[in-house]
Amino acid sequence: MSATTAHAGAAPAAKDGRFEPVILAFTCNWCSYRAADLAGTARMKYPPNVRLVRLMCSGRVDPAFVMRAFADADAVILTGCWPADCHYRIQNVKALRRFILLRRVLESMGIEPQRFQRFYASAAEGQQLAAEFDRIVEEVRALGPLDWAGRHAAFVPSATPPGAGVGEARAAAEARAAAPPPAERELAEVTA
Ligand code: FES
């Protein structure tokens, strides 16, 4: 299944009336996808809420894949090889850059950061991957459904007066510069 045609499918059956999020995880063939495979063969359970999309490298994740995924899912995860382990040299660093950019775009649309997360997982880290999936499912469950269509409609630029939000954007940029979020700090380290 290609990322562009992936469909997250129906949510798992709700238990006790609780919300069951649908989460799409882009995985790298060489590490996180194998970690998920390892988790399965070792009978380490992770929630059925997470649907995997296998790519050859996290660097293959196009921003359009992520935006399309949000049309069907309540959250999106990017996973890939640890720095220096990417089979295609520095493509995972490029993926990190794209993640930072996309997260800012999503935040500006009012999408909570818990709905777009990333982490590394080597092929041997099935247990860690399952634990991360568990954590993210719980965080997204607490947020409730995404309502992408409603939020997307509210973000239509023509509905925004020219110049609106400039002050907020500047304040957010200054706050980020003063205390860089973890992904920004990590990018500065791996590219230093
Ligand atoms: Fe796994 Fe690049 S090959 S992230």
Side-chain angles (χ1 to χ4, degrees):
M1 180 168 56
S2 79
T4 48
T5 57
H7 191 285
K15 286 184 201 134
D16 308 326
R18 91 184 163 161
F19 167 60
E20 290 295 346
V22 173
I23 298 178
L24 211 80
F26 290 103
T27 58
C28 163
N29 176 63
W30 304 105
C31 54
S32 50
Y33 187 82
R34 291 175 190 218
D37 211 22
L38 174 66
T41 51
R43 296 182 185 275
M44 300 169 212
K45 287 198 176 143
Y46 64 81
N49 309 65
V50 181
R51 316 289 159 78
L52 305 183
V53 177
R54 175 163 56 163
L55 301 171
M56 290 308 288
C57 174
S58 64
R60 179 67 185 90
V61 175
D62 187 297
F65 295 175
V66 174
M67 300 309 257
R68 174 66 185 85
F70 271 115
D72 286 327
D74 298 294
V76 176
I77 303 171
L78 305 189
T79 61
C81 301
W82 285 90
D85 286 348
C86 179
H87 288 229
Y88 307 96
R89 301 186 59 197
I90 58 164
Q91 294 306 312
N92 56 355
V93 176
K94 292 185 179 175
L96 174 58
R97 286 200 185 107
R98 267 178 234 135
F99 171 83
I100 291 170
L101 184 66
L102 269 169
R103 194 151 170 171
R104 286 185 194 168
V105 170
L106 291 165
E107 278 175 12
S108 73
M109 295 172 70
I111 308 293
E112 301 89 345
Q114 293 93 330
R115 295 192 190 274
F116 185 47
Q117 302 199 40
R118 60 176 281 283
F119 62 87
Y120 299 114
S122 75
E125 291 177 320
Q127 196 162 10
Q128 291 88 333
L129 176 122
E132 287 290 290
F133 282 169
D134 271 337
R135 174 184 64 76
I136 294 171
V137 167
E138 286 310 317
E139 288 180 7
V140 178
R141 182 177 282 130
L143 292 175
L146 170 62
D147 182 25
W148 174 254
R151 296 200 197 196
H152 197 266
F155 189 69
V156 174
S158 59
T160 308
V166 171
E168 290 90 333
R170 186 173 297 134
E174 285 169 1
R176 262 200 309 275
E184 273 88 336
R185 282 202 303 274
E186 186 186 331
L187 181 61
E189 282 166 21
V190 296
T191 55

